[in-house]
C-alpha cells in the first residue's frame, strides 16, 4: 500500500507570492491533517479535514488555507508568503477519527 | 492549554545500556499520548500509543497521570534505535487524533 504522498518535495518562492502544496493520503484514508515544522517552533498543527470538511484549525493566520477533495486528496495554500513561512510542511492521513496518523515525507518550502 | 515537554534535546547512550526518554504533558482532561519516531531520512512514524499498552521494538511507555508523564523506556538500547523521538498528545474524548500537540523532540544516539 502506497504511503502518504506529498508534492512537490521542494519549493522556492519569493516573498509576497502564493504557494499550493498537495497531499495524497493512503488509499481508503478519509482524514488529512497538515503540520508545519520549523527549528524554532517545532511541529505545529495547521488544520484537519475529513470528508471535505475542515474539522479543526490551528492557530495560524488566514493566509494559510486548505481544502479536501471528494477523493480525499488535500491541498494547502499559503498566500502573501513571508520569510517566516519557510518550513517543512507535513501532511498526515488516518483511516478514521480514532486512528493514528501516517505522515508523508513533507514539502520543504523556502521563501526568499 | 495542552503542552508537551521533552526536557532533553539530545540523549546519548552506549549499546546495551538502558534508555529513558522523558515526556511531560499539561492537559486538564484525559489525554491520549503517543510516541513518534523519525529515523534518518525516513518519515515520521508512530512508535507507541498509550492505550495499546504494547511493546514495540523493545520500547514501552507508561502513562502516569499523577506525574503527568509518559516516558519512553528500553532496557537495552541498540544502534538502530538512534533517531529523533517525539512525544505527542491528543485532547482525549471527543477530540480527533488528527490534531496532535508535539514536544520538541529528543535526538537519541546509541554508540557502539
Amino acid at each position: 500500500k502506497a504511503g502518504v504522498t506529498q508534492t512537490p518535495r521542494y519549493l522556492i518562492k519569493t516573498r509576497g507570492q502564493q504557494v499550493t502544496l498537495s497531499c495524497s493520503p493512503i488509499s481508503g484514508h478519509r482524514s488529512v491533517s497538515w503540520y508545519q515544522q520549523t527549528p524554532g517552533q517545532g511541529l505545529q498543527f495547521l488544520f484537519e479535514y475529513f470528508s471535505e470538511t475542515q474539522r479543526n484549525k490551528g492557530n495560524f493566520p488566514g493566509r494559510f488555507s486548505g481544502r479536501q477533495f471528494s477523493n480525499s486528496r488535500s491541498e494547502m495554500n499559503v498566500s502573501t508568503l513571508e520569510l517566516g513561512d519557510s518550513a517543512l510542511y507535513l501532511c498526515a492521513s488516518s483511516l478514521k477519527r480514532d486512528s493514528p496518523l501516517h505522515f508523508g515525507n513533507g514539502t520543504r518550502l523556502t521563501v526568499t | 492549554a495542552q503542552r508537551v515537554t521533552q526536557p532533553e534535546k539530545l540523549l546519548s547512550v552506549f549499546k546495551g545500556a538502558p534508555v529513558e526518554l522523558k515526556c511531560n504533558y499539561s492537559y486538564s482532561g484525559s489525554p491520549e499520548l503517543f510516541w513518534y519516531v523519525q529515523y534518518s531520512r525516513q518519515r515520521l512514524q508512530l512508535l507507541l500509543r498509550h492505550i495499546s499498552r504494547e511493546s514495540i521494538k523493545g520500547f514501552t511507555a507508561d502513562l502516569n497521570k499523577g506525574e503527568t508523564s509518559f516516558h519512553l523506556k528500553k532496557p537495552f538500547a541498540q544502534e538502530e534505535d538512534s533517531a529523533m523521538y517525539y512525544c505527542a498528545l491528543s485532547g482525549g474524548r471527543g477530540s480527533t487524533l488528527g490534531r496532535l500537540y508535539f514536544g520538541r523532540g529528543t535526538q537519541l544516539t546509541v554508540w557502539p
Side-chain angles (χ1 to χ4, degrees):
Chain A
K1 193 184 252 188
V4 177
T5 304
Q6 292 187 245
T7 55
R9 290 296 307 275
Y10 303 93
L11 265 178
I12 300 175
K13 291 286 187 179
T14 305
R15 257 185 312 179
Q17 288 186 315
Q18 74 164 17
V19 67
T20 299
L21 313 182
S22 180
C23 172
S24 293
I26 291 173
S27 177
H29 285 197
R30 296 169 63 191
S31 178
V32 173
S33 297
W34 289 89
Y35 288 81
Q36 182 195 63
Q37 186 175 28
T38 60
Q41 300 297 321
L43 278 154
Q44 292 189 289
F45 172 78
L46 279 157
F47 20 67
E48 179 190 9
Y49 288 87
F50 182 81
S51 293
E52 302 178 67
T53 301
Q54 187 178 85
R55 196 155 61 175
N56 269 308
K57 189 176 192 306
N59 189 26
F60 278 82
R63 300 184 297 105
F64 291 81
S65 62
R67 59 178 175 168
Q68 186 181 33
F69 302 95
S70 57
N71 61 359
S72 294
R73 192 177 69 84
S74 178
E75 288 181 348
M76 66 163 280
N77 184 78
V78 188
S79 61
T80 319
L81 284 165
E82 300 177 0
L83 294 179
D85 297 333
S86 294
L88 180 66
Y89 290 88
L90 293 172
C91 172
S93 72
S94 63
L95 184 62
K96 49 186 180 176
R97 186 186 185 94
D98 61 350
S99 302
L101 295 177
H102 296 262
F103 283 85
N105 283 317
T107 293
R108 171 76 63 186
L109 172 65
T110 302
V111 182
T112 62
Chain B
Q2 296 90 332
R3 188 187 305 170
V4 176
T5 304
Q6 294 179 249
E8 302 137 331
K9 194 172 179 179
L10 302 170
L11 183 62
S12 294
V13 300
F14 284 102
K15 177 183 173 181
V19 63
E20 180 179 67
L21 293 90
K22 291 183 168 47
C23 171
N24 290 91
Y25 67 90
S26 172
Y27 181 64
S28 57
S30 295
E32 274 211 64
L33 275 298
F34 304 83
W35 277 99
Y36 278 82
V37 60
Q38 187 167 29
Y39 300 102
S40 179
R41 287 186 289 278
Q42 293 188 27
R43 60 187 68 194
L44 196 59
Q45 58 187 282
L46 177 68
L47 179 63
L48 279 180
R49 181 178 181 181
H50 93 270
I51 62 170
S52 300
R53 294 188 164 275
E54 292 175 306
S55 172
I56 306 293
K57 298 185 178 182
F59 284 98
T60 59
D62 290 316
L63 178 60
N64 186 324
K65 291 188 178 180
E67 296 183 358
T68 59
S69 69
F70 187 57
H71 303 328
L72 183 68
K73 300 177 185 178
K74 185 170 183 177
F76 307 104
Q78 302 299 314
E79 290 178 69
E80 55 265 30
D81 296 329
S82 296
M84 178 70 89
Y85 291 81
Y86 293 94
C87 182
L89 174 155
S90 172
R93 185 187 303 174
S95 300
T96 68
L97 299 192
R99 182 173 194 163
L100 294 177
Y101 298 85
F102 283 90
R104 299 302 294 271
T106 297
Q107 179 67 50
L108 173 66
T109 302
V110 181
W111 299 103

